[in-house]
Amino acid sequence: MTDILLIALFALGGAACAGALGAGVLRLVRHRSVAVSLTVIAAVTVTAMLAGTLAVAQAMFLSPHDLGVVTLVAAMAAVVSLVTALLLGRWVVARSRELFLAARDFGDGGSFAAPPGQTTAELDALSRELAATSAKLAASRERERALEASRRELVAWISHDLRTPLAGLRAMSEALEDGMAADPARYHRQIRTEVERMNSMVGDLFELSRIHAGALSLVPSRMSVYDLVGDALSGVDPLAREHGVRLVGDTVERVPVEVDGKEMTRVLANLLINAIRHTPADGTVAIAAEQRAGAVVLSVTDGCGGIAAEDLARVFDTGWRGTTARTPPAGAGLGLAIVRGIVEAHSGRATVHNVPGGCRFEVTLPLTA
């Protein structure tokens, strides 16, 4: 038992010395390629085994011939191990290089395509992660292009919509100044109408900029959906009468919600005004509120005739106006974008889908506990 213990101690001592030396070398080459690191690891392993074997062999007082045989066998094993590690390292480095080139192209704005051929499990997992990241970045770039196009359209439309009333205001002011206005009172009323229109447009732009900047400050309070709907209906009733549209709000449940009353009233008002403007005379605009699966769903249904299927995904985009049938004479395409921004600030979502004869806008808000 004592001999076995001594043999184990000699082997452990020799291997430990080789391992400590190898650890130092490995630390020195830690910034080199994988091939060098694998070669050093293989060399350390074989050297540790060789050192332990020779230490035991010396302690056992083997004959010079036997000691030479043991040394030769260990040396051949070391050479084979080093060559294998070197070849494996070169293969791993080559696969890493291919992956690096593919990732560089992906970083330059292209899409990532994993290099063909077999690879290690780690590099394969890295390829999958890079492919997933590439797909996410491609989707992000597409959204960025769509947003940029939307901004350009918005600037063009806002410029046009501001230029038209400004030209009218200038003409009317010059007519009043020259005394050429046959009915000054009518001109004054028209000027006030145009000013209110531009003021509303500027207010929408300011609200939208706050939403996009994340500066929309909400003051939530607990209130009934019934009261929200009632306030919104009373605010748009004159417009509905002017357009000859009936407002229906019979199916509104008294469900409590935690919202900013002012902002949420604006949401409903925007949806109702949009619905009234696109519903023909003698048509009906219905607003409803109900509880569904832990949420409150407010819906506004109009008689606009529906929205083209290809436009449904863009309805809430900034500056979207859609077809001529849904283009308001005085709108800049900001109302629905504001609706989505305010609803999402309340941790809700805004959606739209077609129904027979029109479309239905739905606002889903989390239910108050």
Side-chain angles (χ1 to χ4, degrees), residues 106-107 110 131-145:
F106 151 57
T133 303
S134 175
K136 293 177 182 177
L137 282 178
S140 177
R141 292 191 190 102
E142 187 61 31
R143 287 194 300 270
E144 185 177 352
R145 284 192 290 267

Side-chain angles (χ1 to χ4, degrees), residues 267-287:
V267 166
L268 296 179
N270 281 2
L271 291 177
L272 287 169
I273 291 172
N274 185 67
I276 292 169
R277 285 177 174 167
H278 299 103
T279 299
D282 294 331
T284 300
V285 170
I287 184 170

